[in-house]
Amino acid sequence: MKSKITIVGVPMDLGQRNPGVNMGPNAMRYAGVSEYLEGLGYKVTDYNDIEIGKAEYLEDPKINLRNLKAVADASETLGEKVDSIVKSGEFPLILGGDHSVAIGSLAGIAKNYKKLGVIWYDAHGDLNTPETSPSGNIHGMPLAASLGIGHPALTNVLNYSPKVKPENIVIIGARDLDAGERELIKARGIKVYTMHEIDRLGMTRVIEETIEYLKDRTDGVHLSLDLDGLDPADAPGVGTPVIGGISYRESHLAMEMLAEADIITSADFVEVNPILDERNRTAVVAVKLMGSLFGEKLL
Ligand SMILES: NC(=[NH2+])NCCC[C@H](N)C(=O)O
Ligand SMILES: [Mn+2]
Ligand SMILES: [Mn+2]
């Protein structure tokens, strides 16, 4: 793992409709993210927040994409920033914000890796397109956009596409997939560990297989961790909770095993919404998981 971490906050809430997820980055700062990672021996720089436009653009009612222009603009800004962080040899740690922020994260990161791997830790596939989306919410589309599927304003961030190949993606924790997402997963052969496989195989084997699968085919791995991948009992402060999720303990184990394998080269932690939370505990969970991802050990 790189010894320097640069944090970028993305107070984005335009990819969905619950107010409060724009306060996610600060919720994680209040939970002590910088101090915590410094305590593990990293040099941490907080770049502060990317500027997010307002939801005031005239929208085209014919396209099923809420706040397209503002989300696309923020993705460009974030993409450029993340690209420069990777180029200066630091580990980009992006704090969301709704999951649409991953469009910008991946745009910036994938410029630097020919065979970028992605671990999508999430209750959802986030593989919708304007055609398949039941909601028009862009936070349900970032993985599809990164595959080059969807509106050009989202697929072409930083003027290239795709950012990632379907065979370099592993989705972990899925338990709420829309019909179009299921089709896309099958058509493109994306590897998915649903809750069924996690229950059946156990998290140890799921992560062992994930590491084995990504190790040789990729030259870097981005972890995109949506806090709703966890069970709402452990991470209640999210906008689209789905019961029957990954436990806090299993998530720690997953992060510890990824740290041991030393394969993660960038990460985003998204969907923390302090308004929907209880005493900021979802942000605390996020920060503790980061601790394990960055190598914290009890003994
Ligand atoms: N990043 C998320 N929490 N995504 C939730 C997406 C929910 C639903 N599949 C949709 O597209 O609207
Ligand atoms: Mn989700
Ligand atoms: Mn998500």
Side-chain angles (χ1 to χ4, degrees), residues 22-288:
N22 57 316
M23 296 186 271
N26 276 346
M28 288 182 264
R29 289 186 180 107
Y30 295 143
V33 56
S34 292
E35 299 78 356
Y36 202 81
L37 299 178
E38 269 162 9
L40 297 175
Y42 293 87
K43 185 181 172 298
V44 182
T45 312
D46 189 338
Y47 173 76
N48 294 323
D49 289 348
I50 294 287
E51 207 174 319
I52 306 297
K54 298 262 182 299
E56 67 195 355
Y57 292 95
L58 279 179
E59 289 188 36
D60 183 348
K62 292 193 295 297
I63 58 169
N64 188 26
L65 289 154
R66 188 164 291 102
N67 303 318
L68 174 62
K69 173 97 170 72
V71 172
D73 287 351
S75 304
E76 299 280 350
T77 313
L78 175 61
E80 273 163 27
K81 181 65 202 167
V82 169
D83 179 35
S84 75
I85 295 169
V86 178
K87 291 205 159 69
S88 56
E90 290 155 24
F91 185 107
L93 177 59
I94 298 107
L95 309 181
D98 71 59
H99 217 159
S100 70
V101 308
I103 297 172
S105 309
L106 285 169
I109 292 153
K111 267 188 104 170
N112 300 277
Y113 297 92
K114 280 207 180 68
K115 304 178 285 178
L116 184 69
V118 173
I119 297 177
W120 201 266
Y121 201 91
D122 201 324
H124 308 95
D126 294 344
L127 284 164
N128 273 307
T129 64
E131 291 73 37
T132 66
S133 170
S135 62
N137 293 332
I138 296 175
H139 80 153
M141 310 181 189
L143 195 49
S146 304
L147 282 163
I149 309 166
H151 194 284
L154 301 177
T155 59
N156 261 326
V157 175
L158 301 190
N159 297 312
Y160 74 105
S161 177
K163 273 66 180 181
V164 51
K165 298 197 188 86
E167 62 269 27
N168 292 346
I169 295 172
V170 180
I171 298 174
I172 297 176
R175 55 193 183 277
D176 182 3
L177 298 169
D178 299 314
E181 298 184 296
R182 268 188 230 112
E183 275 172 36
L184 204 139
I185 286 168
K186 284 187 191 139
R188 308 282 168 131
I190 298 171
K191 196 170 185 62
V192 183
Y193 292 97
T194 67
M195 290 312 300
H196 174 86
E197 281 81 34
I198 296 171
D199 288 343
R200 197 150 182 157
L201 306 172
M203 188 56 96
T204 305
R205 189 148 144 222
V206 167
I207 299 295
E208 278 170 359
E209 288 185 9
T210 298
I211 291 165
E212 192 55 39
Y213 180 76
L214 291 175
K215 205 178 61 200
D216 296 326
R217 66 173 70 226
T218 63
D219 51 1
V221 179
H222 177 74
L223 169 68
S224 198
L225 191 146
D226 183 330
L227 269 294
D228 73 29
L230 276 78
D231 192 275
D234 289 327
V238 296
T240 49
V242 189
I243 57 164
I246 307 170
S247 75
Y248 177 62
R249 285 303 333 151
E250 289 171 313
S251 299
H252 262 297
L253 176 66
M255 297 303 116
E256 286 160 357
M257 290 179 72
L258 292 174
E260 241 173 70
D262 197 17
I263 58 164
I264 302 299
T265 45
S266 55
D268 43 44
F269 282 73
V270 301
E271 296 282 346
V272 173
N273 184 333
I275 287 187
L276 302 173
D277 207 2
E278 299 158 3
R279 296 175 174 263
N280 211 31
R281 56 187 278 224
T282 303
V284 171
V285 164
V287 170
K288 291 205 163 166

